[in-house]
PDB file of all heavy atoms in Angstrom:
ATOM      1  N   ASN I 209       7.783  10.377   0.486  1.00 88.00           N
ATOM      2  CA  ASN I 209       6.335  10.163   0.596  1.00 88.00           C
ATOM      3  C   ASN I 209       5.744   9.596  -0.691  1.00 88.00           C
ATOM      4  O   ASN I 209       4.653   9.977  -1.113  1.00 88.00           O
ATOM      5  CB  ASN I 209       5.617  11.467   0.953  1.00 88.00           C
ATOM      6  CG  ASN I 209       6.147  12.094   2.227  1.00 88.00           C
ATOM      7  OD1 ASN I 209       6.404  11.399   3.204  1.00 88.00           O
ATOM      8  ND2 ASN I 209       6.330  13.400   2.220  1.00 88.00           N
ATOM      9  N   ARG I 210       6.468   8.675  -1.306  1.00 88.00           N
ATOM     10  CA  ARG I 210       6.028   8.098  -2.578  1.00 88.00           C
ATOM     11  C   ARG I 210       4.945   7.046  -2.338  1.00 88.00           C
ATOM     12  O   ARG I 210       5.129   6.114  -1.560  1.00 88.00           O
ATOM     13  CB  ARG I 210       7.198   7.473  -3.302  1.00 88.00           C
ATOM     14  CG  ARG I 210       6.877   6.985  -4.695  1.00 88.00           C
ATOM     15  CD  ARG I 210       6.583   8.129  -5.635  1.00 88.00           C
ATOM     16  NE  ARG I 210       7.789   8.696  -6.213  1.00 88.00           N
ATOM     17  CZ  ARG I 210       7.830   9.869  -6.817  1.00 88.00           C
ATOM     18  NH1 ARG I 210       6.734  10.612  -6.905  1.00 88.00           N
ATOM     19  NH2 ARG I 210       8.958  10.324  -7.321  1.00 88.00           N
ATOM     20  N   ASP I 211       3.818   7.212  -3.011  1.00 83.00           N
ATOM     21  CA  ASP I 211       2.710   6.259  -2.932  1.00 83.00           C
ATOM     22  C   ASP I 211       2.689   5.450  -4.220  1.00 83.00           C
ATOM     23  O   ASP I 211       2.421   5.987  -5.290  1.00 83.00           O
ATOM     24  CB  ASP I 211       1.391   7.012  -2.754  1.00 83.00           C
ATOM     25  CG  ASP I 211       0.186   6.077  -2.625  1.00 83.00           C
ATOM     26  OD1 ASP I 211       0.366   4.852  -2.723  1.00 83.00           O
ATOM     27  OD2 ASP I 211      -0.940   6.584  -2.430  1.00 83.00           O
ATOM     28  N   PRO I 216      -1.852   0.058   2.221  1.00 75.00           N
ATOM     29  CA  PRO I 216      -2.686   1.164   2.705  1.00 75.00           C
ATOM     30  C   PRO I 216      -1.901   2.314   3.318  1.00 75.00           C
ATOM     31  O   PRO I 216      -2.443   3.404   3.495  1.00 75.00           O
ATOM     32  CB  PRO I 216      -3.569   0.492   3.759  1.00 75.00           C
ATOM     33  CG  PRO I 216      -2.773  -0.683   4.239  1.00 75.00           C
ATOM     34  CD  PRO I 216      -2.006  -1.160   3.040  1.00 75.00           C
ATOM     35  N   TYR I 217      -0.622   2.081   3.664  1.00 78.00           N
ATOM     36  CA  TYR I 217       0.139   3.115   4.352  1.00 78.00           C
ATOM     37  C   TYR I 217       1.400   3.513   3.578  1.00 78.00           C
ATOM     38  O   TYR I 217       2.411   3.884   4.156  1.00 78.00           O
ATOM     39  CB  TYR I 217       0.517   2.635   5.761  1.00 78.00           C
ATOM     40  CG  TYR I 217      -0.652   2.077   6.534  1.00 78.00           C
ATOM     41  CD1 TYR I 217      -0.673   0.753   6.971  1.00 78.00           C
ATOM     42  CD2 TYR I 217      -1.767   2.874   6.802  1.00 78.00           C
ATOM     43  CE1 TYR I 217      -1.758   0.244   7.662  1.00 78.00           C
ATOM     44  CE2 TYR I 217      -2.856   2.365   7.486  1.00 78.00           C
ATOM     45  CZ  TYR I 217      -2.859   1.061   7.915  1.00 78.00           C
ATOM     46  OH  TYR I 217      -3.932   0.557   8.587  1.00 78.00           O
ATOM     47  N   ASP I 218       1.332   3.441   2.254  1.00 80.00           N
ATOM     48  CA  ASP I 218       2.494   3.781   1.417  1.00 80.00           C
ATOM     49  C   ASP I 218       2.996   5.190   1.696  1.00 80.00           C
ATOM     50  O   ASP I 218       2.222   6.161   1.656  1.00 80.00           O
ATOM     51  CB  ASP I 218       2.116   3.696  -0.062  1.00 80.00           C
ATOM     52  CG  ASP I 218       2.117   2.272  -0.574  1.00 80.00           C
ATOM     53  OD1 ASP I 218       2.169   1.363   0.264  1.00 80.00           O
ATOM     54  OD2 ASP I 218       2.069   2.073  -1.798  1.00 80.00           O
ATOM     55  N   SER I 219       4.291   5.310   1.949  1.00 86.00           N
ATOM     56  CA  SER I 219       4.933   6.619   2.089  1.00 86.00           C
ATOM     57  C   SER I 219       6.431   6.409   1.928  1.00 86.00           C
ATOM     58  O   SER I 219       7.226   6.760   2.796  1.00 86.00           O
ATOM     59  CB  SER I 219       4.613   7.245   3.451  1.00 86.00           C
ATOM     60  OG  SER I 219       5.162   8.538   3.556  1.00 86.00           O
ATOM     61  N   TYR I 220       6.823   5.824   0.790  1.00 93.00           N
ATOM     62  CA  TYR I 220       8.191   5.345   0.611  1.00 93.00           C
ATOM     63  C   TYR I 220       9.194   6.466   0.342  1.00 93.00           C
ATOM     64  O   TYR I 220       8.858   7.518  -0.210  1.00 93.00           O
ATOM     65  CB  TYR I 220       8.261   4.361  -0.558  1.00 93.00           C
ATOM     66  CG  TYR I 220       7.597   3.036  -0.289  1.00 93.00           C
ATOM     67  CD1 TYR I 220       6.383   2.717  -0.886  1.00 93.00           C
ATOM     68  CD2 TYR I 220       8.189   2.100   0.549  1.00 93.00           C
ATOM     69  CE1 TYR I 220       5.778   1.490  -0.660  1.00 93.00           C
ATOM     70  CE2 TYR I 220       7.589   0.873   0.779  1.00 93.00           C
ATOM     71  CZ  TYR I 220       6.376   0.578   0.181  1.00 93.00           C
ATOM     72  OH  TYR I 220       5.780  -0.628   0.415  1.00 93.00           O
ATOM     73  N   THR I 268       8.165   5.223  10.096  1.00 92.00           N
ATOM     74  CA  THR I 268       7.207   4.113  10.102  1.00 92.00           C
ATOM     75  C   THR I 268       7.808   2.881  10.750  1.00 92.00           C
ATOM     76  O   THR I 268       7.155   2.200  11.554  1.00 92.00           O
ATOM     77  CB  THR I 268       6.779   3.782   8.660  1.00 92.00           C
ATOM     78  OG1 THR I 268       6.153   4.920   8.075  1.00 92.00           O
ATOM     79  CG2 THR I 268       5.821   2.599   8.627  1.00 92.00           C
ATOM     80  N   ASP I 342      -5.414  14.289   2.030  1.00 89.00           N
ATOM     81  CA  ASP I 342      -6.104  13.286   1.215  1.00 89.00           C
ATOM     82  C   ASP I 342      -6.374  12.057   2.076  1.00 89.00           C
ATOM     83  O   ASP I 342      -5.925  11.979   3.224  1.00 89.00           O
ATOM     84  CB  ASP I 342      -5.282  12.923  -0.021  1.00 89.00           C
ATOM     85  CG  ASP I 342      -3.862  12.488   0.322  1.00 89.00           C
ATOM     86  OD1 ASP I 342      -3.702  11.706   1.280  1.00 89.00           O
ATOM     87  OD2 ASP I 342      -2.919  12.907  -0.363  1.00 89.00           O
ATOM     88  N   PRO I 343      -7.132  11.077   1.564  1.00 90.00           N
ATOM     89  CA  PRO I 343      -7.459   9.890   2.363  1.00 90.00           C
ATOM     90  C   PRO I 343      -6.248   9.132   2.883  1.00 90.00           C
ATOM     91  O   PRO I 343      -6.283   8.585   3.992  1.00 90.00           O
ATOM     92  CB  PRO I 343      -8.272   9.032   1.380  1.00 90.00           C
ATOM     93  CG  PRO I 343      -8.911  10.024   0.473  1.00 90.00           C
ATOM     94  CD  PRO I 343      -7.886  11.101   0.283  1.00 90.00           C
ATOM     95  N   LYS I 344      -5.147   9.082   2.104  1.00 87.00           N
ATOM     96  CA  LYS I 344      -3.946   8.381   2.564  1.00 87.00           C
ATOM     97  C   LYS I 344      -3.393   9.019   3.828  1.00 87.00           C
ATOM     98  O   LYS I 344      -2.928   8.327   4.740  1.00 87.00           O
ATOM     99  CB  LYS I 344      -2.878   8.378   1.470  1.00 87.00           C
ATOM    100  CG  LYS I 344      -3.080   7.340   0.384  1.00 87.00           C
ATOM    101  CD  LYS I 344      -2.609   5.984   0.836  1.00 87.00           C
ATOM    102  CE  LYS I 344      -2.621   4.982  -0.313  1.00 87.00           C
ATOM    103  NZ  LYS I 344      -2.139   3.644   0.100  1.00 87.00           N
ATOM    104  N   ASP I 345      -3.421  10.350   3.888  1.00 88.00           N
ATOM    105  CA  ASP I 345      -2.953  11.051   5.085  1.00 88.00           C
ATOM    106  C   ASP I 345      -3.742  10.611   6.311  1.00 88.00           C
ATOM    107  O   ASP I 345      -3.179  10.353   7.372  1.00 88.00           O
ATOM    108  CB  ASP I 345      -3.106  12.568   4.914  1.00 88.00           C
ATOM    109  CG  ASP I 345      -1.987  13.189   4.100  1.00 88.00           C
ATOM    110  OD1 ASP I 345      -0.989  12.483   3.839  1.00 88.00           O
ATOM    111  OD2 ASP I 345      -2.112  14.361   3.722  1.00 88.00           O
ATOM    112  N   LEU I 346      -5.059  10.541   6.152  1.00 92.00           N
ATOM    113  CA  LEU I 346      -5.903  10.154   7.282  1.00 92.00           C
ATOM    114  C   LEU I 346      -5.636   8.708   7.688  1.00 92.00           C
ATOM    115  O   LEU I 346      -5.527   8.405   8.887  1.00 92.00           O
ATOM    116  CB  LEU I 346      -7.374  10.345   6.940  1.00 92.00           C
ATOM    117  CG  LEU I 346      -8.364  10.051   8.082  1.00 92.00           C
ATOM    118  CD1 LEU I 346      -8.104  10.951   9.271  1.00 92.00           C
ATOM    119  CD2 LEU I 346      -9.810  10.197   7.608  1.00 92.00           C
ATOM    120  N   SER I 347      -5.523   7.816   6.724  1.00 89.00           N
ATOM    121  CA  SER I 347      -5.262   6.404   7.035  1.00 89.00           C
ATOM    122  C   SER I 347      -3.973   6.250   7.829  1.00 89.00           C
ATOM    123  O   SER I 347      -3.912   5.514   8.819  1.00 89.00           O
ATOM    124  CB  SER I 347      -5.176   5.575   5.745  1.00 89.00           C
ATOM    125  OG  SER I 347      -6.406   5.567   5.065  1.00 89.00           O
ATOM    126  N   ARG I 348      -2.912   6.955   7.392  1.00 87.00           N
ATOM    127  CA  ARG I 348      -1.620   6.824   8.063  1.00 87.00           C
ATOM    128  C   ARG I 348      -1.642   7.394   9.472  1.00 87.00           C
ATOM    129  O   ARG I 348      -1.142   6.776  10.400  1.00 87.00           O
ATOM    130  CB  ARG I 348      -0.535   7.507   7.225  1.00 87.00           C
ATOM    131  CG  ARG I 348      -0.102   6.725   6.004  1.00 87.00           C
ATOM    132  CD  ARG I 348       1.148   7.297   5.382  1.00 87.00           C
ATOM    133  NE  ARG I 348       0.918   8.563   4.708  1.00 87.00           N
ATOM    134  CZ  ARG I 348       0.740   8.698   3.406  1.00 87.00           C
ATOM    135  NH1 ARG I 348       0.770   7.636   2.626  1.00 87.00           N
ATOM    136  NH2 ARG I 348       0.539   9.882   2.866  1.00 87.00           N
ATOM    137  N   VAL I 349      -2.209   8.590   9.635  1.00 90.00           N
ATOM    138  CA  VAL I 349      -2.170   9.228  10.946  1.00 90.00           C
ATOM    139  C   VAL I 349      -3.055   8.495  11.948  1.00 90.00           C
ATOM    140  O   VAL I 349      -2.717   8.376  13.133  1.00 90.00           O
ATOM    141  CB  VAL I 349      -2.555  10.724  10.847  1.00 90.00           C
ATOM    142  CG1 VAL I 349      -4.023  10.915  10.537  1.00 90.00           C
ATOM    143  CG2 VAL I 349      -2.193  11.462  12.134  1.00 90.00           C
ATOM    144  N   VAL I 350      -4.192   7.963  11.499  1.00 92.00           N
ATOM    145  CA  VAL I 350      -5.048   7.179  12.395  1.00 92.00           C
ATOM    146  C   VAL I 350      -4.334   5.901  12.829  1.00 92.00           C
ATOM    147  O   VAL I 350      -4.339   5.530  13.999  1.00 92.00           O
ATOM    148  CB  VAL I 350      -6.398   6.846  11.717  1.00 92.00           C
ATOM    149  CG1 VAL I 350      -7.179   5.824  12.555  1.00 92.00           C
ATOM    150  CG2 VAL I 350      -7.218   8.113  11.529  1.00 92.00           C
ATOM    151  N   ALA I 351      -3.705   5.215  11.870  1.00 88.00           N
ATOM    152  CA  ALA I 351      -3.003   3.968  12.179  1.00 88.00           C
ATOM    153  C   ALA I 351      -1.858   4.194  13.166  1.00 88.00           C
ATOM    154  O   ALA I 351      -1.573   3.343  14.005  1.00 88.00           O
ATOM    155  CB  ALA I 351      -2.469   3.337  10.899  1.00 88.00           C
ATOM    156  N   ASP I 352      -1.200   5.357  13.079  1.00 86.00           N
ATOM    157  CA  ASP I 352      -0.062   5.644  13.951  1.00 86.00           C
ATOM    158  C   ASP I 352      -0.461   6.161  15.321  1.00 86.00           C
ATOM    159  O   ASP I 352       0.392   6.332  16.197  1.00 86.00           O
ATOM    160  CB  ASP I 352       0.853   6.683  13.279  1.00 86.00           C
ATOM    161  CG  ASP I 352       1.580   6.121  12.071  1.00 86.00           C
ATOM    162  OD1 ASP I 352       1.648   4.880  11.953  1.00 86.00           O
ATOM    163  OD2 ASP I 352       2.062   6.907  11.245  1.00 86.00           O
ATOM    164  N   THR I 353      -1.748   6.438  15.538  1.00 89.00           N
ATOM    165  CA  THR I 353      -2.217   6.988  16.807  1.00 89.00           C
ATOM    166  C   THR I 353      -2.568   5.859  17.769  1.00 89.00           C
ATOM    167  O   THR I 353      -3.131   4.845  17.381  1.00 89.00           O
ATOM    168  CB  THR I 353      -3.442   7.898  16.584  1.00 89.00           C
ATOM    169  OG1 THR I 353      -3.097   8.917  15.640  1.00 89.00           O
ATOM    170  CG2 THR I 353      -3.877   8.555  17.877  1.00 89.00           C
TER     171      THR I 353
END
Side-chain angles (χ1 to χ4, degrees):
N209 304 318
R210 186 68 85 196
D211 182 357
Y217 310 119
D218 280 13
S219 184
Y220 290 107
T268 299
D342 54 44
K344 280 280 188 179
D345 280 349
L346 184 60
S347 296
R348 284 192 288 262
V349 70
V350 170
D352 290 342
T353 304

